[in-house]
Amino acid sequence: MVEIELDGKKVEIAEGSMVMHAAEKAGTYIPHFCYHKKLTIAANCRMCLVDIEKSPKPMPACCTPVTQGMVVRTKSDKALKAQKSVMEFLLINHPLDCPICDQGGECQLQDLAVGYGASASRYEEEKRVVLHKDVGPLISMEEMTRCIHCTRCIRFGQEVGGIMELGMINRGEYAEITTVAGDTIDSELSGNMIDICPVGALTSKPFRYSARTWELSRRKSVSPHDSTGANLIVQVKNHRVMRVLPFENEDVNECWIADRDRFSYEALTGPDRLEHPMLKQGGEWREVDWQTALEYVANGLQDIDAEHGSASIGALVSPHSTLEELYLAGALVRGMGSGNIDYRLRNAEFEDAPGVRWLGQSIASLATLDSVLVLGSNVRKDHPLFAQRIRQAQRKGAVVSSINSVQPDWAMPVAHVMVAPASDWLRALAEVAAALGQSNAVSAPVSGIEPSAAAADIAKALLRGEQKAILLGNAAAHHSQASKLLALCNWIGAQTGASVGYLTEAANTVGAQWVKAVPNAGALNAAQMLSGSLKGVLLLNTEPVFDSAAGEGAASALAAADMVVTLSPFKTNMDFSDVLLPIAPFTETSGSFVNAEARLQSFNAVVRPLGETRPAWKVLRVLANLMEIPGFEFESSQDVLSQIAGAGGAATGIPTALLSNHSEALVSDVSGISDEAPVSAAIYQLDSLVRRSPSLQATRDGRAAAREVQP
């Protein structure tokens, strides 16, 4: 440790730290633009000049290392004069268009100009103009004259996003930030560039000119998309969601969010929103009141129960639903005497897991791995923030390995790759196991397998370092031999000391397992329910044509049922549904999600429900009351959560004893595996919200996915 004096106070800081780090530790603010705690130091803007004793001139705090006994003054005349001079230079060419700038009210340049800027400029020469760039549907670069060349956006792309999409060309007053080749910005994390831009050069294209920051209320929430459980700030005006920003949580999402977390809010007020209950009568849809709709559903389900038995009734639920909704859906179905409920719509195997499948470690620990093997995942698109953590580890020297049907670009070096069709993944793992068997002098689980060079490299990589992980992706979870894949991964993990875990697909995949949104023993699983086995079907927050392995076949199978009830925020499933009940999306209801690391996170509604929309937990409760099913006396979603968590209290979350990635499957033969490819959703086809965001669908990833789902 090194001790310095900062504005008369003694500060102890680690050797090798910069003056800026010491100031942060001491709680002293030094003005800056280019410095960002998550990015490398560029020392471009010089706004952080400070007075260091025995130094002939002011020094930039962000790139000046501390030394023992150093005396630093951040508020001396010398420091303040230097900072004001830098501000004067920064404003020479600035257009001073604060009244129409989207960044107005939350602009670092604006804030610091108040304290360090002059009332008038000494420069009367013509200001330079930088032409705007079109970089895609998410980021606006219309006013690049505002840019002060801090290069935060460039460094973010290189270091966090993993791909340098922006760069600086030319020099002096001709310098400008651009995509160079005129390309679009296609990173799945690109929206974070808007947040870190200290001026109004990069702004949100969907939000552009729609509200002023001081008009917006700020409310905390949790992302309903992938299993990161990213913490959000939802900004609201007149009971309408206007913008979504990250809420900093170092353990979960740091200060970043993925683009689908940021821009999916567009769907909340889109033309597809369902605002009133609807019944199909004589092939025509008509709006009805809630009492009529719920009585129709209750009577219809009771008639089906009386005529065909309760086993002919089932629920297909989305793992993007809240914990409370999933629990009540299960309680409703079981209260009617049926055990048919399943969230595993994309799965091909339905093994009874001995515990709740989860990540197997904390999200934060992904950034400290020494070696990682990813099986069956396009981790960059499936879990952008997990990929960002793994990218951090790789930048520190971690070895990343992959077994996949194709090797997509993960925007990071992948040291060892085994490309094999999904039907050969079991054999690929068996080869890695065989290589470990040879190096550890133990018997491999599958005999007669000769490891390839790539398998030997992966085995060798997993034997190095202290922190190691084997991560199974969405395609591995949906695989027809998922339990055997897990069993082999567990054997490899035991031989190498690596943790084994699932990246888990959706916001509440872990929570759905916890509340038993899976069929009772002997009841129908999702594949069986989607094969036309049911007479009465409840669809909670799901669109089976897009969300299930059955695809288009789901429509014809469900059309054969006597009654299909869709609970959704959107007008969907209309070809085969008989009733549409408008339920609240995550912004209009309270609830909880359990992320991949089994972290329970609750949130409240941020806007009032649109039209006649109601929270799904309330709809399920009233439906159960109408059917006189006991145990549904809940006054709030918190009551439901308390019931789920039991006597230990809601805050405790999933007991550690329930978490298990163990598999009972025995693997002795890897031949004769089905060639059917596992079903996985593209990044902007994951759920009903992202599918209805115009901006996300206009991106390169969105357009590519739309072409794939075209008949």
Side-chain angles (χ1 to χ4, degrees), residues 186 260 346 378 381-382 545-546 552 680-687 690-711:
D186 299 307
R260 64 181 166 205
R346 294 189 175 104
N378 181 0
K381 302 297 182 182
D382 294 346
V545 172
F546 301 104
E552 292 289 343
S680 288
I683 184 171
Y684 300 138
Q685 292 293 322
L686 181 64
D687 58 65
V690 294
R691 282 195 286 270
R692 288 172 172 82
S693 167
S695 296
L696 292 177
Q697 294 307 316
T699 62
R700 179 180 289 180
D701 283 322
R703 297 194 308 271
R707 286 194 295 272
E708 286 175 17
V709 298
Q710 291 286 337

Short mmCIF file of all heavy atoms in Angstrom, two decimals, residues 186 260 346 378 381-382 545-546 552 680-687 690-711:
data_model
loop_
_atom_site.label_atom_id
_atom_site.label_comp_id
_atom_site.label_asym_id
_atom_site.label_seq_id
_atom_site.Cartn_x
_atom_site.Cartn_y
_atom_site.Cartn_z
N ASP A 186 -23.73 -3.50 -34.59
CA ASP A 186 -24.57 -4.70 -34.44
C ASP A 186 -24.33 -5.46 -33.15
O ASP A 186 -24.89 -6.54 -32.97
CB ASP A 186 -24.33 -5.64 -35.64
CG ASP A 186 -24.70 -4.97 -36.96
OD1 ASP A 186 -25.83 -4.47 -37.06
OD2 ASP A 186 -23.85 -4.93 -37.87
N ARG A 260 -31.67 -6.20 -25.72
CA ARG A 260 -33.07 -6.64 -25.61
C ARG A 260 -33.67 -6.22 -24.28
O ARG A 260 -34.89 -6.03 -24.18
CB ARG A 260 -33.20 -8.14 -25.84
CG ARG A 260 -32.52 -9.03 -24.84
CD ARG A 260 -32.73 -10.49 -25.21
NE ARG A 260 -31.83 -11.36 -24.48
CZ ARG A 260 -31.45 -12.55 -24.92
NH1 ARG A 260 -31.86 -13.00 -26.08
NH2 ARG A 260 -30.64 -13.30 -24.19
N ARG A 346 -39.45 -26.09 -25.17
CA ARG A 346 -38.49 -26.34 -26.25
C ARG A 346 -37.68 -27.63 -26.02
O ARG A 346 -36.84 -27.98 -26.83
CB ARG A 346 -37.53 -25.16 -26.41
CG ARG A 346 -38.21 -23.87 -26.89
CD ARG A 346 -37.21 -22.78 -27.24
NE ARG A 346 -37.85 -21.61 -27.81
CZ ARG A 346 -38.07 -20.47 -27.18
NH1 ARG A 346 -37.69 -20.34 -25.93
NH2 ARG A 346 -38.67 -19.45 -27.78
N ASN A 378 -24.73 -20.59 -28.23
CA ASN A 378 -24.16 -19.39 -28.80
C ASN A 378 -24.20 -18.35 -27.69
O ASN A 378 -25.10 -17.51 -27.62
CB ASN A 378 -24.94 -18.92 -30.02
CG ASN A 378 -24.35 -17.66 -30.64
OD1 ASN A 378 -23.34 -17.13 -30.17
ND2 ASN A 378 -24.95 -17.18 -31.71
N LYS A 381 -25.04 -14.56 -28.01
CA LYS A 381 -26.40 -14.13 -28.35
C LYS A 381 -27.42 -14.64 -27.34
O LYS A 381 -28.42 -13.97 -27.05
CB LYS A 381 -26.78 -14.61 -29.75
CG LYS A 381 -25.85 -14.13 -30.85
CD LYS A 381 -25.86 -12.61 -31.00
CE LYS A 381 -24.96 -12.15 -32.15
NZ LYS A 381 -24.93 -10.67 -32.25
N ASP A 382 -27.20 -15.84 -26.80
CA ASP A 382 -28.16 -16.40 -25.83
C ASP A 382 -28.08 -15.68 -24.49
O ASP A 382 -29.10 -15.47 -23.84
CB ASP A 382 -27.87 -17.89 -25.60
CG ASP A 382 -28.14 -18.74 -26.84
OD1 ASP A 382 -28.78 -18.22 -27.78
OD2 ASP A 382 -27.69 -19.90 -26.88
N VAL A 545 -46.37 -21.68 -31.08
CA VAL A 545 -45.81 -21.77 -32.44
C VAL A 545 -44.37 -21.27 -32.46
O VAL A 545 -43.52 -21.81 -33.17
CB VAL A 545 -46.68 -20.98 -33.44
CG1 VAL A 545 -46.01 -20.89 -34.81
CG2 VAL A 545 -48.06 -21.64 -33.57
N PHE A 546 -44.07 -20.25 -31.66
CA PHE A 546 -42.72 -19.68 -31.61
C PHE A 546 -41.91 -20.21 -30.42
O PHE A 546 -40.69 -20.24 -30.48
CB PHE A 546 -42.80 -18.15 -31.50
CG PHE A 546 -43.53 -17.50 -32.63
CD1 PHE A 546 -44.81 -17.02 -32.46
CD2 PHE A 546 -42.93 -17.38 -33.88
CE1 PHE A 546 -45.49 -16.42 -33.51
CE2 PHE A 546 -43.60 -16.78 -34.93
CZ PHE A 546 -44.89 -16.31 -34.75
N GLU A 552 -44.96 -25.03 -35.86
CA GLU A 552 -46.26 -24.89 -36.52
C GLU A 552 -47.20 -26.02 -36.16
O GLU A 552 -48.42 -25.85 -36.19
CB GLU A 552 -46.06 -24.84 -38.05
CG GLU A 552 -45.36 -23.60 -38.56
CD GLU A 552 -46.23 -22.36 -38.46
OE1 GLU A 552 -47.45 -22.49 -38.30
OE2 GLU A 552 -45.67 -21.24 -38.53
N SER A 680 -33.57 -23.90 -30.36
CA SER A 680 -33.18 -22.73 -29.57
C SER A 680 -33.65 -21.47 -30.28
O SER A 680 -33.67 -21.41 -31.51
CB SER A 680 -31.66 -22.68 -29.38
OG SER A 680 -31.24 -23.68 -28.48
N ALA A 681 -34.04 -20.49 -29.50
CA ALA A 681 -34.55 -19.25 -30.07
C ALA A 681 -33.42 -18.29 -30.39
O ALA A 681 -32.41 -18.23 -29.68
CB ALA A 681 -35.52 -18.58 -29.09
N ALA A 682 -33.58 -17.54 -31.48
CA ALA A 682 -32.62 -16.49 -31.82
C ALA A 682 -32.73 -15.37 -30.79
O ALA A 682 -33.71 -15.27 -30.04
CB ALA A 682 -32.90 -15.97 -33.22
N ILE A 683 -31.72 -14.50 -30.77
CA ILE A 683 -31.63 -13.48 -29.72
C ILE A 683 -32.87 -12.60 -29.64
O ILE A 683 -33.34 -12.28 -28.54
CB ILE A 683 -30.34 -12.63 -29.91
CG1 ILE A 683 -30.19 -11.61 -28.76
CG2 ILE A 683 -30.28 -11.96 -31.26
CD1 ILE A 683 -28.85 -10.90 -28.74
N TYR A 684 -33.44 -12.22 -30.77
CA TYR A 684 -34.61 -11.36 -30.74
C TYR A 684 -35.89 -12.10 -31.12
O TYR A 684 -36.85 -11.50 -31.65
CB TYR A 684 -34.38 -10.13 -31.64
CG TYR A 684 -33.20 -9.31 -31.17
CD1 TYR A 684 -32.28 -8.77 -32.07
CD2 TYR A 684 -32.97 -9.09 -29.82
CE1 TYR A 684 -31.18 -8.04 -31.63
CE2 TYR A 684 -31.87 -8.36 -29.37
CZ TYR A 684 -30.99 -7.84 -30.28
OH TYR A 684 -29.90 -7.13 -29.82
N GLN A 685 -35.90 -13.42 -30.84
CA GLN A 685 -37.11 -14.23 -30.96
C GLN A 685 -37.39 -14.96 -29.65
O GLN A 685 -38.23 -15.85 -29.60
CB GLN A 685 -36.94 -15.26 -32.09
CG GLN A 685 -36.88 -14.67 -33.49
CD GLN A 685 -38.20 -14.05 -33.92
OE1 GLN A 685 -39.27 -14.58 -33.61
NE2 GLN A 685 -38.14 -12.93 -34.62
N LEU A 686 -36.68 -14.59 -28.59
CA LEU A 686 -36.72 -15.36 -27.35
C LEU A 686 -38.09 -15.36 -26.69
O LEU A 686 -38.53 -16.37 -26.17
CB LEU A 686 -35.66 -14.80 -26.37
CG LEU A 686 -35.55 -15.51 -25.03
CD1 LEU A 686 -35.09 -16.95 -25.23
CD2 LEU A 686 -34.59 -14.78 -24.11
N ASP A 687 -38.78 -14.22 -26.69
CA ASP A 687 -40.06 -14.14 -25.99
C ASP A 687 -40.97 -13.16 -26.71
O ASP A 687 -40.57 -12.49 -27.67
CB ASP A 687 -39.87 -13.76 -24.52
CG ASP A 687 -39.15 -12.43 -24.36
OD1 ASP A 687 -39.71 -11.39 -24.77
OD2 ASP A 687 -38.02 -12.40 -23.84
N VAL A 690 -39.67 -9.24 -27.03
CA VAL A 690 -38.63 -8.88 -28.00
C VAL A 690 -39.12 -9.10 -29.43
O VAL A 690 -38.70 -8.39 -30.34
CB VAL A 690 -37.31 -9.65 -27.75
CG1 VAL A 690 -36.67 -9.25 -26.44
CG2 VAL A 690 -37.49 -11.14 -27.82
N ARG A 691 -40.02 -10.07 -29.61
CA ARG A 691 -40.55 -10.31 -30.96
C ARG A 691 -41.36 -9.13 -31.47
O ARG A 691 -41.56 -8.99 -32.69
CB ARG A 691 -41.43 -11.57 -30.97
CG ARG A 691 -40.64 -12.86 -30.98
CD ARG A 691 -41.53 -14.04 -31.34
NE ARG A 691 -42.41 -14.44 -30.28
CZ ARG A 691 -42.11 -15.35 -29.34
NH1 ARG A 691 -40.94 -15.95 -29.36
NH2 ARG A 691 -42.98 -15.66 -28.42
N ARG A 692 -41.84 -8.28 -30.55
CA ARG A 692 -42.71 -7.17 -30.95
C ARG A 692 -42.03 -5.79 -30.81
O ARG A 692 -42.71 -4.78 -30.85
CB ARG A 692 -43.99 -7.21 -30.11
CG ARG A 692 -44.89 -8.36 -30.51
CD ARG A 692 -46.07 -8.52 -29.55
NE ARG A 692 -47.01 -9.49 -30.06
CZ ARG A 692 -46.88 -10.81 -29.92
NH1 ARG A 692 -45.82 -11.29 -29.26
NH2 ARG A 692 -47.76 -11.65 -30.43
N SER A 693 -40.72 -5.79 -30.65
CA SER A 693 -40.00 -4.52 -30.60
C SER A 693 -39.52 -4.17 -32.01
O SER A 693 -38.64 -4.84 -32.55
CB SER A 693 -38.80 -4.64 -29.66
OG SER A 693 -37.93 -3.54 -29.83
N PRO A 694 -40.07 -3.13 -32.64
CA PRO A 694 -39.69 -2.80 -34.02
C PRO A 694 -38.20 -2.53 -34.17
O PRO A 694 -37.59 -2.96 -35.16
CB PRO A 694 -40.52 -1.54 -34.32
CG PRO A 694 -41.66 -1.58 -33.37
CD PRO A 694 -41.14 -2.24 -32.13
N SER A 695 -37.60 -1.84 -33.21
CA SER A 695 -36.18 -1.51 -33.32
C SER A 695 -35.31 -2.76 -33.27
O SER A 695 -34.36 -2.90 -34.05
CB SER A 695 -35.76 -0.54 -32.22
OG SER A 695 -36.44 0.68 -32.35
N LEU A 696 -35.62 -3.68 -32.37
CA LEU A 696 -34.83 -4.91 -32.26
C LEU A 696 -35.00 -5.76 -33.51
O LEU A 696 -34.05 -6.39 -33.99
CB LEU A 696 -35.22 -5.70 -31.02
CG LEU A 696 -34.87 -5.07 -29.68
CD1 LEU A 696 -35.38 -5.92 -28.53
CD2 LEU A 696 -33.36 -4.85 -29.55
N GLN A 697 -36.20 -5.78 -34.05
CA GLN A 697 -36.44 -6.60 -35.26
C GLN A 697 -35.77 -5.99 -36.49
O GLN A 697 -35.52 -6.68 -37.47
CB GLN A 697 -37.94 -6.76 -35.51
CG GLN A 697 -38.66 -7.56 -34.43
CD GLN A 697 -38.02 -8.91 -34.16
OE1 GLN A 697 -37.65 -9.64 -35.08
NE2 GLN A 697 -37.85 -9.24 -32.88
N ALA A 698 -35.45 -4.69 -36.43
CA ALA A 698 -34.78 -4.03 -37.56
C ALA A 698 -33.27 -4.19 -37.52
O ALA A 698 -32.58 -3.81 -38.47
CB ALA A 698 -35.15 -2.55 -37.58
N THR A 699 -32.73 -4.74 -36.42
CA THR A 699 -31.28 -4.95 -36.35
C THR A 699 -30.86 -6.09 -37.26
O THR A 699 -31.70 -6.85 -37.75
CB THR A 699 -30.84 -5.28 -34.90
OG1 THR A 699 -31.49 -6.50 -34.50
CG2 THR A 699 -31.21 -4.16 -33.94
N ARG A 700 -29.56 -6.26 -37.43
CA ARG A 700 -29.06 -7.36 -38.28
C ARG A 700 -29.50 -8.71 -37.71
O ARG A 700 -29.94 -9.58 -38.46
CB ARG A 700 -27.54 -7.29 -38.37
CG ARG A 700 -26.94 -8.41 -39.23
CD ARG A 700 -25.44 -8.32 -39.29
NE ARG A 700 -25.00 -7.18 -40.08
CZ ARG A 700 -23.72 -6.88 -40.31
NH1 ARG A 700 -22.76 -7.63 -39.79
NH2 ARG A 700 -23.39 -5.83 -41.04
N ASP A 701 -29.39 -8.87 -36.38
CA ASP A 701 -29.82 -10.13 -35.76
C ASP A 701 -31.32 -10.35 -35.93
O ASP A 701 -31.77 -11.47 -36.18
CB ASP A 701 -29.47 -10.14 -34.27
CG ASP A 701 -27.99 -10.39 -34.02
OD1 ASP A 701 -27.41 -11.21 -34.75
OD2 ASP A 701 -27.43 -9.78 -33.09
N GLY A 702 -32.09 -9.27 -35.79
CA GLY A 702 -33.54 -9.38 -35.92
C GLY A 702 -33.95 -9.77 -37.32
O GLY A 702 -34.82 -10.62 -37.52
N ARG A 703 -33.32 -9.15 -38.32
CA ARG A 703 -33.65 -9.46 -39.72
C ARG A 703 -33.26 -10.89 -40.08
O ARG A 703 -33.98 -11.59 -40.79
CB ARG A 703 -32.97 -8.47 -40.67
CG ARG A 703 -33.42 -7.03 -40.50
CD ARG A 703 -32.98 -6.15 -41.67
NE ARG A 703 -31.56 -6.25 -41.94
CZ ARG A 703 -30.62 -5.49 -41.38
NH1 ARG A 703 -30.98 -4.58 -40.49
NH2 ARG A 703 -29.35 -5.62 -41.70
N ALA A 704 -32.11 -11.33 -39.57
CA ALA A 704 -31.65 -12.70 -39.86
C ALA A 704 -32.61 -13.72 -39.26
O ALA A 704 -32.95 -14.72 -39.90
CB ALA A 704 -30.25 -12.90 -39.30
N ALA A 705 -33.07 -13.46 -38.02
CA ALA A 705 -34.00 -14.39 -37.38
C ALA A 705 -35.34 -14.40 -38.10
O ALA A 705 -35.96 -15.45 -38.26
CB ALA A 705 -34.19 -14.01 -35.92
N ALA A 706 -35.80 -13.23 -38.57
CA ALA A 706 -37.07 -13.16 -39.28
C ALA A 706 -37.03 -13.99 -40.57
O ALA A 706 -37.99 -14.66 -40.93
CB ALA A 706 -37.41 -11.71 -39.61
N ARG A 707 -35.87 -13.97 -41.23
CA ARG A 707 -35.74 -14.79 -42.45
C ARG A 707 -35.81 -16.28 -42.12
O ARG A 707 -36.39 -17.07 -42.86
CB ARG A 707 -34.42 -14.48 -43.15
CG ARG A 707 -34.40 -13.15 -43.88
CD ARG A 707 -33.21 -13.05 -44.83
NE ARG A 707 -31.94 -13.05 -44.13
CZ ARG A 707 -31.34 -11.96 -43.68
NH1 ARG A 707 -31.92 -10.77 -43.84
NH2 ARG A 707 -30.17 -12.03 -43.07
N GLU A 708 -35.26 -16.65 -40.95
CA GLU A 708 -35.24 -18.07 -40.57
C GLU A 708 -36.63 -18.58 -40.22
O GLU A 708 -36.95 -19.73 -40.48
CB GLU A 708 -34.31 -18.27 -39.37
CG GLU A 708 -32.83 -18.18 -39.75
CD GLU A 708 -31.92 -18.28 -38.53
OE1 GLU A 708 -32.39 -18.72 -37.48
OE2 GLU A 708 -30.74 -17.90 -38.66
N VAL A 709 -37.47 -17.73 -39.61
CA VAL A 709 -38.79 -18.21 -39.20
C VAL A 709 -39.84 -18.06 -40.30
O VAL A 709 -40.97 -18.47 -40.13
CB VAL A 709 -39.29 -17.50 -37.91
CG1 VAL A 709 -38.37 -17.79 -36.76
CG2 VAL A 709 -39.44 -16.01 -38.12
N GLN A 710 -39.46 -17.50 -41.45
CA GLN A 710 -40.39 -17.42 -42.57
C GLN A 710 -40.73 -18.83 -43.04
O GLN A 710 -39.87 -19.67 -43.17
CB GLN A 710 -39.76 -16.65 -43.74
CG GLN A 710 -39.55 -15.17 -43.49
CD GLN A 710 -40.83 -14.37 -43.53
OE1 GLN A 710 -41.79 -14.80 -44.14
NE2 GLN A 710 -40.84 -13.22 -42.88
N PRO A 711 -41.99 -19.13 -43.31
CA PRO A 711 -42.33 -20.47 -43.82
C PRO A 711 -41.74 -20.67 -45.21
O PRO A 711 -41.53 -19.74 -45.94
CB PRO A 711 -43.86 -20.46 -43.85
CG PRO A 711 -44.24 -19.01 -43.90
CD PRO A 711 -43.18 -18.27 -43.16
#
